[in-house]
Amino acid sequence: MNLEDMELEDIAQEISVLHKGKKYSDIKSILTEINPADIAALFDEFSVEEQILFFRLLPKEEAAETFVELDNDTQEAIISAFSDAELREVLDELYLDDTVDIIEEMPATIVKRILRNTDSQTRASINTLLKYPEDSAGSIMTPEFVDLKKNNTVEDAFKRIRRTGVDKETIYTCYVTDESRRLIGVTTVKELLLHDYDDLIESFMETNTIYVNTHDDKEIAVQLFDKYNFLALPVVDMENRLVGIITVDDAMDVLQEENTEDIHKMNAIVRTSEKPYLKIGVFETFRSRLPWLMLLMVSATFTGMIITAFEDKLSVLIILTSFIPMLMDTGGNSGGQASVTIIRALSLNEIDLGDIFKVIWKEIRVGICCGLSLAAVNFAKIWLVDRLLLGTEGITLKVDLVISLTLVIEIIFAKIVGCTLPIFAKKLKFDPAVMSSPFITTIVDALSLLIYFWLATAILHI
Amino acid sequence: MNLEDMELEDIAQEISVLHKGKKYSDIKSILTEINPADIAALFDEFSVEEQILFFRLLPKEEAAETFVELDNDTQEAIISAFSDAELREVLDELYLDDTVDIIEEMPATIVKRILRNTDSQTRASINTLLKYPEDSAGSIMTPEFVDLKKNNTVEDAFKRIRRTGVDKETIYTCYVTDESRRLIGVTTVKELLLHDYDDLIESFMETNTIYVNTHDDKEIAVQLFDKYNFLALPVVDMENRLVGIITVDDAMDVLQEENTEDIHKMNAIVRTSEKPYLKIGVFETFRSRLPWLMLLMVSATFTGMIITAFEDKLSVLIILTSFIPMLMDTGGNSGGQASVTIIRALSLNEIDLGDIFKVIWKEIRVGICCGLSLAAVNFAKIWLVDRLLLGTEGITLKVDLVISLTLVIEIIFAKIVGCTLPIFAKKLKFDPAVMSSPFITTIVDALSLLIYFWLATAILHI
């Protein structure tokens, strides 16, 4: 059962009533029927005291699963309210990568308490994981995986899984390592189930294993999931020793996170936080939006200078001014279309640097088609609506021609600028996503004005 | 081993040399070392004749896995070259949902050949799957899953998986159905492995099963994966009978597809094809870009009308014209930032319709911060650079004030418009993604010009 917001509110109401009547066992049975992700959503409806009270009602395993889904403030409140014994119970049930994620968001005092309540081996693993760079594959892996030896039989493998599997985040992909813990092969529980009990792992394991290094960018890891449809991906250290795995659910989270980051970058936002919108403060939102707004505002100085340079001509034929917004917006939109298409295609690996001429040639043709169509409609519209219907002064056939010709040329230029800048950015190892609409618009604006005034000078002799 | 483009080219070269020397068994051993997704990428380097030749060298199972990864043109060429016996061999190895995906892209003659070469039961399943609406959960599910009965023991379950599992896309999540095939529970191979051989499935199966209906939007299914970290999600029909499952790899593909669609929509592109950039023709690209460009161009008529109305005033103080592009771009960028942030937050379910006042209040405060900062910098810049450094004529303290005040007010308005329109769109059951930068820009342009001219009239008395 997937709970919609409405149902969640109903359940919250029901629990509130039960709470007033102190019917805790009823609350407990309601909560145990709900998926941990939904319990976390439900908790938003309650006060901190209630959250702590209800959390204590959860069975051990469900408590840990719910804890991972809660937001950082609630997690902090619950840990603060917990005795060391209670804290240990939750920590015991958590997967290591989740513990590390939580530690990264908690204040120092809480971190100390968490570390004090884990055994020394776990503490060592946590410390290792905390050292990986923020965007690295190491930072999203878990060191809890099933490892087998090549001379294990299928029966050995199942015994090992039955004995140790309960604590592993996934058991379905099993990794085969040699004596120095180097990764030499991989197999799956499906393969194990389809082989005889006394078959040796090495007789059927896959040896062309795809893996990432702990220091690889996590984006590379996620692209491999996307390409090869893995459930888990092994992570090795500099000496090729298997140190962890990334599971598909974490890969999916990173994928969503990277998509959000790209979308924000494409719209002149510096992403400073991974928190959901309503949890980010006004000042932090302000900080994430100001830099690009400021830069783009200052760079619009150039368009201002172009207009100032043509001021005398504009004052002769002031009607030309009223088409500046339309020309600028259409140029910006045309360039923006090309740039986001290319940025997305680059990030999905549909195109690479070598395709630049194919891309430009295609965009030129698309630009010609779009330019001609828009110019034709615009030409007719100016004549029929602006001149004949509205009787706007100063519109002549030549003026109409200047505006429509500007459209054709600026759209072709906009498409070329829009498709080349992201590719250049990638070549220069910048993130192509910043070369998107806002940035393209600023450049295309200046280009459009130059084309406009040049055509006006040539055709209208002003 | 993950193959980079460089390595792929090296391997392609090597295979070409072997091909000239007719060393087919060497080619075969190279290909069997490579992951099917990489073989498909490698095939791009070869002619159609070579593709068909090399494809025939692949072992049965690898051939099927590679076939799924090939692009439609290559698939078509290979099927056309195949004898019925060869075709049947590949089809036998394909998962049903992949067969359906391929059928949807093939011309009628090929589809007929495919259907002729499948057994009647498979043909019936294919026909059922083909009937689901394009964006429905049914269209991305596979009917091949492991189903158990509640009075099965763990041992029964393993026997069943060993017997039928080889043809299932995933065996790790097992579904428990009653006599009328209604879904009553779910368990996993991990659970099975951790229980005793004679335990009954019903004693430990999870009964609060989360599922989707065949006719639900596939986006809903994908959101459930994102929220609950599933490996597979059951799909039921109108009578609650289990008819298929969606696997996490397909969910990930849909997620990427939806993200691409959102990014395109946010930039005034109508997505007409799911093909990669270079495979989409010029005319189709043109068709996907024209509608919004045209609509936005025509709606810029309003900004033109506003300027025409204030033409007389502009001609008195032509310097005001040169700041129009900067004011328009900054307004557009500010509104665009707010709108994409909200669109993304809506699509990640971080906010819903009920949060509208919280959102507006936050955006107003962010708008005030951004507006004041930009106005301060702009005020100083106009005075120091435009007036003192460049000596631009006509700039007075009052003109500078009008421009900077316009910035503050337009940015606040832009943030409000940018955050409310996507939420309204959602309320009216439109896709919020179309209420993004290009659309917001057009509205904010008109607003900004009105504020600008109104302030100019009031302060400069023109």
Side-chain angles (χ1 to χ4, degrees):
Chain A
M1 181 175 48
N2 170 37
L3 295 172
E4 297 296 326
D5 297 339
M6 285 295 294
E7 296 172 272
L8 273 182
E9 272 170 39
D10 289 348
I11 296 176
Q13 206 109 50
E14 200 183 334
I15 292 180
S16 289
V17 173
L18 291 171
H19 183 198
K20 282 203 192 88
K22 294 193 192 301
K23 298 194 170 145
Y24 297 118
S25 72
D26 290 348
I27 299 179
K28 183 175 176 174
S29 43
I30 292 179
L31 290 178
T32 45
E33 291 290 296
I34 307 175
N35 188 295
D38 288 317
I39 299 180
L42 191 66
F43 269 31
D44 277 348
E45 313 277 325
F46 295 112
S47 71
V48 177
E49 291 71 31
E50 289 170 317
Q51 289 171 348
I52 296 167
L53 178 66
F54 299 155
F55 188 82
R56 285 196 163 112
L57 296 175
L58 296 172
K60 220 166 56 169
E61 202 178 319
E62 208 167 355
E65 284 174 34
T66 303
F67 192 77
V68 175
E69 303 281 342
L70 291 169
D71 64 49
N72 301 141
D73 298 341
T74 316
Q75 286 172 339
E76 200 180 322
I78 288 176
I79 296 181
S80 305
F82 265 12
S83 71
D84 279 1
E86 283 175 310
L87 179 59
R88 260 199 306 277
E89 226 171 49
V90 170
L91 288 174
D92 271 355
E93 291 289 325
L94 288 181
Y95 294 121
L96 258 181
D97 56 338
D98 292 329
T99 311
V100 171
D101 286 346
I102 292 165
I103 284 180
E104 280 173 335
E105 301 296 330
M106 291 292 131
T109 49
I110 301 270
V111 172
K112 273 190 201 148
R113 266 197 71 200
I114 292 178
L115 290 177
R116 212 172 50 221
N117 284 290
T118 48
D119 60 72
S120 63
Q121 199 195 331
T122 310
R123 199 155 53 233
S125 300
I126 290 175
N127 281 322
T128 313
L129 288 178
L130 281 172
K131 277 186 207 122
Y132 291 112
E134 198 186 344
D135 287 329
S136 67
S139 75
I140 54 167
M141 73 181 189
T142 174
E144 295 158 319
F145 51 85
V146 177
D147 56 334
L148 305 172
K149 298 294 166 204
K150 63 179 181 175
N151 53 0
N152 284 161
T153 61
V154 169
E155 193 175 2
D156 298 334
F158 276 122
K159 270 192 197 145
R160 189 169 168 79
I161 294 172
R162 278 177 185 272
R163 203 174 60 238
T164 66
V166 65
D167 287 332
K168 313 297 186 193
E169 198 165 335
T170 182
I171 59 164
Y172 301 131
T173 313
C174 306
Y175 300 92
V176 187
T177 53
D178 65 13
E179 316 73 45
S180 12
R181 293 185 42 215
R182 268 191 287 266
L183 180 66
I184 53 173
V186 61
T187 191
T188 62
V189 165
K190 184 172 178 180
E191 284 296 321
L192 292 174
L193 280 173
L194 300 175
H195 280 87
D196 288 332
Y197 264 153
D198 46 8
D199 282 355
L200 283 179
I201 301 292
E202 71 177 322
S203 70
F204 59 85
M205 71 182 187
E206 178 69 55
T207 51
N208 285 300
T209 317
I210 292 167
Y211 55 80
V212 287
N213 196 286
T214 46
H215 283 77
D216 283 340
D217 195 305
K218 62 184 179 186
E219 214 169 327
I220 292 179
V222 172
Q223 282 172 0
L224 294 178
F225 274 92
D226 202 21
K227 181 171 175 190
Y228 297 109
N229 299 338
F230 294 134
L231 294 183
L233 176 70
V235 186
V236 302
D237 67 9
M238 293 302 178
E239 281 82 42
N240 251 5
R241 284 178 308 224
L242 181 64
V243 289
I245 59 168
I246 299 171
T247 51
V248 66
D249 55 317
D250 292 330
M252 212 164 187
D253 289 344
V254 174
L255 188 73
Q256 279 295 60
E257 185 50 45
E258 302 274 344
N259 276 317
T260 303
E261 200 181 310
D262 272 4
I263 290 173
H264 282 197
K265 268 193 202 145
M266 282 184 206
N267 288 279
I269 300 168
V270 183
R271 192 154 169 81
T272 53
S273 165
E274 298 190 356
K275 285 188 257 181
Y277 175 77
L278 289 173
K279 303 263 176 196
I280 303 179
V282 168
F283 184 70
E284 194 166 352
T285 307
F286 160 67
R287 272 204 309 139
S288 70
R289 295 191 189 172
L290 188 68
W292 274 103
L293 279 187
M294 191 71 86
L295 185 70
L296 294 170
M297 178 186 81
V298 172
S299 50
T301 307
F302 294 105
T303 45
M305 283 166 65
I306 295 171
I307 293 185
T308 310
F310 285 86
E311 219 170 68
D312 300 342
K313 294 181 179 177
L314 272 182
S315 62
V316 177
L317 204 60
I318 193 94
I319 183 70
L320 290 180
T321 313
S322 63
F323 292 96
I324 290 179
M326 183 277 286
L327 288 172
M328 280 175 43
D329 283 349
T330 307
N333 291 337
S334 304
Q337 288 178 330
S339 72
V340 294
T341 308
I342 297 306
I343 292 167
R344 186 66 181 166
L346 282 170
S347 103
L348 294 176
N349 286 318
E350 290 175 3
I351 53 173
D352 55 38
L353 302 182
D355 294 319
I356 186 161
F357 294 111
K358 268 190 259 179
V359 170
I360 293 179
W361 174 226
K362 180 171 169 185
E363 289 297 331
I364 289 178
R365 286 176 294 165
V366 173
I368 292 172
C369 295
C370 288
L372 289 176
S373 312
L374 290 178
V377 171
N378 179 66
F379 190 87
K381 183 232 126 189
I382 290 182
W383 201 252
L384 298 175
V385 179
D386 294 327
R387 188 186 150 95
L388 297 182
L389 191 70
L390 302 175
T392 312
E393 262 177 74
I395 293 179
T396 61
L397 255 182
K398 276 189 174 176
V399 167
D400 199 352
L401 190 70
V402 166
I403 297 163
S404 303
L405 264 181
T406 303
L407 263 181
V408 183
I409 302 174
E410 73 162 17
I411 289 173
I412 297 170
F413 271 101
K415 294 290 185 198
I416 296 173
V417 172
C419 74
T420 44
L421 285 192
I423 299 182
F424 283 147
K426 173 124 189 189
K427 188 156 182 71
L428 299 172
K429 312 265 177 213
F430 285 111
D431 188 336
V434 299
M435 292 299 174
S436 60
S437 317
F439 195 83
I440 302 286
T441 299
T442 306
I443 295 175
V444 169
D445 281 354
L447 270 177
S448 303
L449 286 174
L450 285 175
I451 297 167
Y452 190 36
F453 293 140
W454 176 77
L455 281 175
T457 312
I459 295 177
L460 302 171
H461 308 294
I462 51 174
Chain B
M1 181 176 47
N2 169 38
L3 296 172
E4 297 297 328
D5 297 339
M6 284 297 293
E7 295 172 273
L8 273 182
E9 274 171 40
D10 289 347
I11 296 174
Q13 204 109 49
E14 200 184 333
I15 291 180
S16 289
V17 173
L18 291 170
H19 183 199
K20 281 204 192 89
K22 295 192 190 301
K23 297 191 171 147
Y24 297 118
S25 72
D26 290 348
I27 298 179
K28 183 175 175 173
S29 44
I30 291 179
L31 290 178
T32 44
E33 292 290 296
I34 307 176
N35 188 295
D38 288 318
I39 299 180
L42 192 66
F43 269 31
D44 278 347
E45 313 276 328
F46 296 111
S47 71
V48 178
E49 290 71 30
E50 288 169 317
Q51 289 171 347
I52 296 167
L53 177 67
F54 299 155
F55 188 82
R56 285 194 162 114
L57 297 175
L58 296 173
K60 220 168 54 169
E61 201 179 318
E62 207 166 358
E65 285 174 35
T66 303
F67 192 77
V68 174
E69 303 282 342
L70 292 169
D71 63 48
N72 301 140
D73 299 341
T74 315
Q75 287 173 339
E76 199 180 322
I78 289 177
I79 296 181
S80 305
F82 265 11
S83 70
D84 278 1
E86 283 176 310
L87 179 58
R88 259 198 306 277
E89 226 170 49
V90 170
L91 289 174
D92 271 356
E93 292 290 324
L94 288 182
Y95 293 122
L96 257 181
D97 56 339
D98 292 329
T99 310
V100 170
D101 287 346
I102 292 165
I103 284 180
E104 279 173 332
E105 300 296 332
M106 293 291 131
T109 49
I110 301 271
V111 173
K112 273 190 201 147
R113 268 196 70 198
I114 293 179
L115 290 177
R116 212 173 50 222
N117 284 290
T118 47
D119 59 74
S120 63
Q121 197 195 332
T122 311
R123 199 156 50 234
S125 300
I126 290 173
N127 281 322
T128 314
L129 288 178
L130 282 171
K131 275 186 208 124
Y132 292 111
E134 196 186 345
D135 286 328
S136 67
S139 75
I140 54 166
M141 73 182 188
T142 173
E144 296 158 317
F145 52 85
V146 177
D147 56 334
L148 305 172
K149 297 296 165 205
K150 63 179 181 176
N151 52 359
N152 284 161
T153 61
V154 170
E155 194 176 1
D156 298 334
F158 276 123
K159 269 191 197 146
R160 190 168 166 79
I161 294 172
R162 277 174 185 273
R163 202 175 59 240
T164 66
V166 65
D167 287 332
K168 312 297 186 192
E169 198 166 333
T170 183
I171 59 163
Y172 301 131
T173 314
C174 306
Y175 300 93
V176 187
T177 52
D178 65 13
E179 316 73 46
S180 11
R181 292 187 42 216
R182 266 190 288 266
L183 180 65
I184 53 173
V186 61
T187 191
T188 63
V189 166
K190 184 172 178 179
E191 284 295 322
L192 292 174
L193 281 173
L194 300 174
H195 280 88
D196 288 332
Y197 264 152
D198 47 7
D199 282 356
L200 282 179
I201 302 292
E202 71 176 326
S203 70
F204 59 86
M205 70 183 188
E206 178 69 55
T207 51
N208 285 297
T209 317
I210 293 166
Y211 55 80
V212 288
N213 197 286
T214 46
H215 282 78
D216 283 341
D217 195 304
K218 63 184 179 185
E219 213 169 330
I220 293 178
V222 172
Q223 281 172 0
L224 295 178
F225 273 93
D226 200 23
K227 183 172 173 191
Y228 297 109
N229 298 337
F230 293 136
L231 294 183
L233 177 69
V235 186
V236 302
D237 67 9
M238 293 302 178
E239 280 82 43
N240 251 5
R241 282 179 308 224
L242 181 63
V243 288
I245 59 168
I246 299 171
T247 51
V248 66
D249 54 317
D250 292 330
M252 211 165 189
D253 289 344
V254 174
L255 187 74
Q256 280 294 63
E257 186 49 46
E258 301 276 343
N259 276 316
T260 303
E261 199 180 313
D262 272 4
I263 289 174
H264 282 197
K265 268 194 200 143
M266 281 185 206
N267 288 278
I269 300 168
V270 183
R271 193 155 167 81
T272 53
S273 164
E274 298 190 356
K275 283 188 259 179
Y277 175 76
L278 290 173
K279 303 265 175 195
I280 303 178
V282 168
F283 184 70
E284 194 164 353
T285 306
F286 160 68
R287 271 203 310 140
S288 70
R289 296 192 189 171
L290 190 68
W292 275 103
L293 279 188
M294 191 72 86
L295 185 70
L296 294 170
M297 179 186 80
V298 172
S299 51
T301 307
F302 295 104
T303 46
M305 283 166 65
I306 295 171
I307 293 185
T308 309
F310 285 85
E311 218 171 68
D312 300 341
K313 295 181 179 176
L314 272 182
S315 63
V316 176
L317 205 59
I318 193 95
I319 183 70
L320 289 180
T321 313
S322 62
F323 292 96
I324 290 180
M326 183 277 287
L327 288 172
M328 281 174 42
D329 283 350
T330 308
N333 290 337
S334 304
Q337 288 179 330
S339 73
V340 294
T341 308
I342 297 305
I343 292 167
R344 186 66 182 166
L346 283 170
S347 102
L348 294 176
N349 285 318
E350 290 175 1
I351 54 173
D352 56 38
L353 302 181
D355 295 318
I356 185 160
F357 295 111
K358 267 189 259 177
V359 170
I360 293 178
W361 175 226
K362 179 171 169 184
E363 289 296 332
I364 289 178
R365 287 176 294 163
V366 174
I368 293 173
C369 294
C370 287
L372 289 177
S373 312
L374 290 178
V377 171
N378 179 66
F379 189 87
K381 184 231 122 187
I382 290 181
W383 199 252
L384 297 175
V385 179
D386 294 327
R387 186 185 152 96
L388 297 183
L389 190 71
L390 301 175
T392 313
E393 263 175 74
I395 293 180
T396 62
L397 255 183
K398 277 189 172 176
V399 168
D400 198 352
L401 190 69
V402 166
I403 297 163
S404 303
L405 264 181
T406 304
L407 263 182
V408 183
I409 302 173
E410 72 161 19
I411 289 173
I412 298 171
F413 271 102
K415 294 290 184 199
I416 296 173
V417 171
C419 74
T420 44
L421 286 192
I423 299 183
F424 283 147
K426 174 127 190 188
K427 189 157 182 70
L428 299 172
K429 312 266 178 211
F430 285 109
D431 188 335
V434 299
M435 291 299 173
S436 62
S437 316
F439 196 82
I440 301 286
T441 299
T442 306
I443 295 174
V444 169
D445 280 354
L447 269 178
S448 303
L449 285 174
L450 285 175
I451 297 167
Y452 190 36
F453 293 139
W454 176 77
L455 281 176
T457 312
I459 296 178
L460 302 171
H461 309 294
I462 50 173

